[in-house]
Amino acid sequence: MVKAVVGANWGDEGKGKITDMLARESDIIIRFQGGANAGHTIVNNYGKFALHTLPSGVFYGHTTNIIGNGVALNIPILIEEIRSITDRGVPAPRILVSDRAQIVMPYHILLDQYEEERLGGRSFGSTKSGIAPFYSDKYAKIGFQVSELFDEELLGKKVVGVCEIKNVLFTHLYHKPAIDPEELLTVLHEYKEMIAPYVCDVSSYLDQAVRDGKNILLEGQLGTLKDPDHGIYPMVTSSSTLAAYGAIGAGIAPYEIRQVITVCKAYSSAVGAGAFVSEIFGEQADELRRRGGDGGEFGATTGRPRRMGWFDCVASRYGCRLQGTTDVAFTVLDVLGYLDEIPVCIGYEIDGEVTTDFPVTPMLERARPVLKTLPGWKEDIRGIRKYEELPENCRRYVEFIEQQIGYPITMVSNGPGREDIIYRESMLHK
Ligand code: GDP
């Protein structure tokens, strides 16, 4: 049985927590896209962790954690992350890395930095992790697969060829020092030693695992609105954030993905530039940011303050639809307990007309939120384990949003810990 945990919005919906929670019943957890540019925050009995590359199943001894071929693999960051968790008492996790995963090269990270410098104020708000240059090279067919590290002759030739191309950009566009192919080769030899213990033919491994009836969890990064095709292009990430891509980025049959758990946060947050219709500002935003998540809404990788907003039904319905949602996990609901009234965005007004369909980017830039205000519940709901025991206004909030987005909310998260979860039977479509 293969399940996917993905985000409906801009990322930071709390996927890490839901994945960590579902990992208890999983044999295998797989990252299938993205790189070390975003992070998941997980709170468990070992402490609080920000993971960037490792799948969120690494805290359970019984799991196998896989970096799929779709991931942008930063080898030193992966090794450092393994060390950072084992240093804090987590038993060494079982990790496999696809022999077809491609490697984030040192020059990808430099290119990200140089390009941001060149763009100045017109930048995209990149995390400068080399992700966009990495995926550009992958599709330009000048990327390096993990397997290529183990073919010395091929590697030597390829490094020389790629440096020729990159050095034109480095010296002429960016006016920076050229890359030395010999030095780069030395780095790649180090990468080879670091990654060798983990390399595996992942799709073949997973084929057997599916046949053996293992429980497999695909872990997405970011959310629908950051998808390069269906998101707010060009303010998107460089690999698909959709559950469907799990089949490609892990190497399994698409029809094996039976359950798609789409994570929606009870309010909105976003990082980086781009249209954000339900965004709020000033003291209102500061307060939600301060109270949000577990210790404030600040980037897990960059520490940047996140942009804040009310729940957006238009974006979330669209986000759930593109994921092929079977279940919605509605997270961080406890945080809203301080508000007397809670505005929710139920439509977009664009050029004088109201729509509930999420538009293409040029129209999105002109959209204004249509808000509906729901009563707050003014109570701390942490620790509640049964849906019926939530305050009435809190249940109304959940049910209103479920009606608006049209996908069943079957899990409500009311705290950062593994046990802070309420399962509910959805009345939608009944
Ligand atoms: P992800 O990348 O989608 O996993 O999201 P992040 O890790 O960036 O953001 C989620 C944050 O909210 C983390 O700090 C989590 O510990 C925290 N969190 C997750 N679920 C809940 C919840 O239900 N309530 C509260 N208060 N915090 C939560």
Side-chain angles (χ1 to χ4, degrees), residues 351-409:
D351 303 334
E353 295 209 15
V354 174
T355 179
T356 53
D357 291 328
F358 191 78
V360 290
T361 310
M363 286 174 78
L364 185 68
E365 300 286 352
R366 303 203 296 277
R368 298 282 162 268
V370 178
L371 298 174
K372 180 182 165 71
T373 302
L374 302 181
W377 48 91
K378 302 288 280 182
E379 232 182 280
D380 182 6
I381 60 163
R382 279 207 197 177
I384 294 177
R385 296 286 171 269
K386 290 203 177 97
Y387 185 69
E388 302 71 47
E389 289 170 15
L390 287 173
E392 189 180 352
N393 282 347
C394 182
R395 279 181 281 130
R396 282 203 181 143
Y397 185 78
V398 173
E399 287 156 30
F400 177 79
I401 282 172
E402 182 181 56
Q403 283 295 333
Q404 288 283 316
I405 62 178
Y407 292 90
I409 296 178

Side-chain angles (χ1 to χ4, degrees), residues 309-325:
W310 302 125
F311 188 84
D312 184 335
C313 299
V314 179
S316 302
R317 176 170 50 252
Y318 175 82
C320 287
R321 171 160 69 81
L322 270 299
Q323 293 292 6
T325 303

Side-chain angles (χ1 to χ4, degrees), residues 12-17 39-41 293-294 306 332 334 382 413 415:
D12 307 319
E13 298 95 346
K15 295 176 298 296
K17 178 234 157 110
H40 296 307
T41 315
D294 179 34
R306 292 177 180 155
V332 208
D334 50 304
R382 279 207 197 177
S413 170

Side-chain angles (χ1 to χ4, degrees), residues 67-137:
I67 311 282
N69 55 278
V71 169
L73 173 67
N74 184 319
I75 293 176
I77 288 187
L78 173 71
I79 302 303
E80 183 49 40
E81 209 165 291
I82 296 172
R83 185 171 329 140
S84 76
I85 66 164
T86 52
D87 278 356
R88 288 175 61 193
V90 179
R94 184 170 149 74
I95 292 166
L96 301 175
V97 175
S98 168
D99 52 6
R100 292 177 182 274
Q102 294 204 10
I103 304 161
V104 176
M105 305 291 270
Y107 54 78
H108 289 139
I109 296 164
L110 290 173
L111 280 169
D112 242 356
Q113 287 169 7
Y114 297 164
E115 182 61 9
E116 285 271 310
E117 277 172 36
R118 190 181 74 85
L119 288 173
R122 293 169 293 143
S123 80
F124 283 47
S126 157
T127 57
K128 304 188 192 70
S129 313
I131 304 300
F134 164 90
Y135 281 108
S136 306
D137 280 359

Side-chain angles (χ1 to χ4, degrees), residues 12-242:
D12 307 319
E13 298 95 346
K15 295 176 298 296
K17 178 234 157 110
I18 300 294
T19 309
D20 175 63
M21 196 188 85
L22 293 172
R24 199 192 318 237
E25 300 111 52
S26 304
D27 302 300
I28 299 167
I29 297 96
I30 311 166
R31 280 282 314 269
F32 61 88
Q33 47 89 215
N37 49 334
H40 296 307
T41 315
I42 294 168
V43 182
N44 55 34
N45 27 347
Y46 296 104
K48 183 172 177 176
F49 297 86
L51 298 184
H52 307 287
T53 292
L54 285 174
S56 300
V58 288
F59 300 101
Y60 293 102
H62 69 274
T63 61
T64 298
N65 295 276
I66 295 183
I67 311 282
N69 55 278
V71 169
L73 173 67
N74 184 319
I75 293 176
I77 288 187
L78 173 71
I79 302 303
E80 183 49 40
E81 209 165 291
I82 296 172
R83 185 171 329 140
S84 76
I85 66 164
T86 52
D87 278 356
R88 288 175 61 193
V90 179
R94 184 170 149 74
I95 292 166
L96 301 175
V97 175
S98 168
D99 52 6
R100 292 177 182 274
Q102 294 204 10
I103 304 161
V104 176
M105 305 291 270
Y107 54 78
H108 289 139
I109 296 164
L110 290 173
L111 280 169
D112 242 356
Q113 287 169 7
Y114 297 164
E115 182 61 9
E116 285 271 310
E117 277 172 36
R118 190 181 74 85
L119 288 173
R122 293 169 293 143
S123 80
F124 283 47
S126 157
T127 57
K128 304 188 192 70
S129 313
I131 304 300
F134 164 90
Y135 281 108
S136 306
D137 280 359
K138 176 172 175 175
Y139 294 106
K141 291 165 288 206
I142 52 170
F144 288 78
Q145 283 194 343
V146 165
S147 63
E148 292 174 326
L149 292 175
F150 298 86
D151 185 331
E152 194 52 43
E153 202 185 318
L154 176 150
L155 195 67
K157 280 194 193 136
K158 199 163 164 179
V159 161
V160 171
V162 168
C163 284
E164 262 174 40
I165 303 171
K166 296 297 168 199
N167 282 339
V168 175
L169 289 176
F170 271 51
T171 54
H172 295 290
L173 182 63
Y174 299 118
H175 309 292
K176 300 283 185 187
I179 316 164
D180 175 7
E182 283 303 315
E183 277 176 30
L184 182 58
L185 205 52
T186 307
V187 171
L188 294 182
H189 290 153
E190 289 166 14
Y191 283 7
K192 174 181 152 189
E193 298 306 316
M194 290 183 207
I195 206 69
Y198 306 106
V199 180
C200 169
D201 177 348
V202 161
S203 74
S204 163
Y205 177 88
L206 290 174
D207 181 55
Q208 192 57 49
V210 169
R211 285 170 202 276
D212 294 344
K214 300 281 189 211
N215 286 325
I216 299 171
L217 198 57
L218 294 165
E219 177 178 20
Q221 186 203 39
L222 297 170
T224 304
L225 304 179
K226 294 283 185 183
D227 184 76
D229 285 82
H230 296 284
I232 52 171
Y233 189 85
M235 303 300 180
V236 293
T237 193
S238 306
S239 63
S240 175
T241 56
L242 302 183

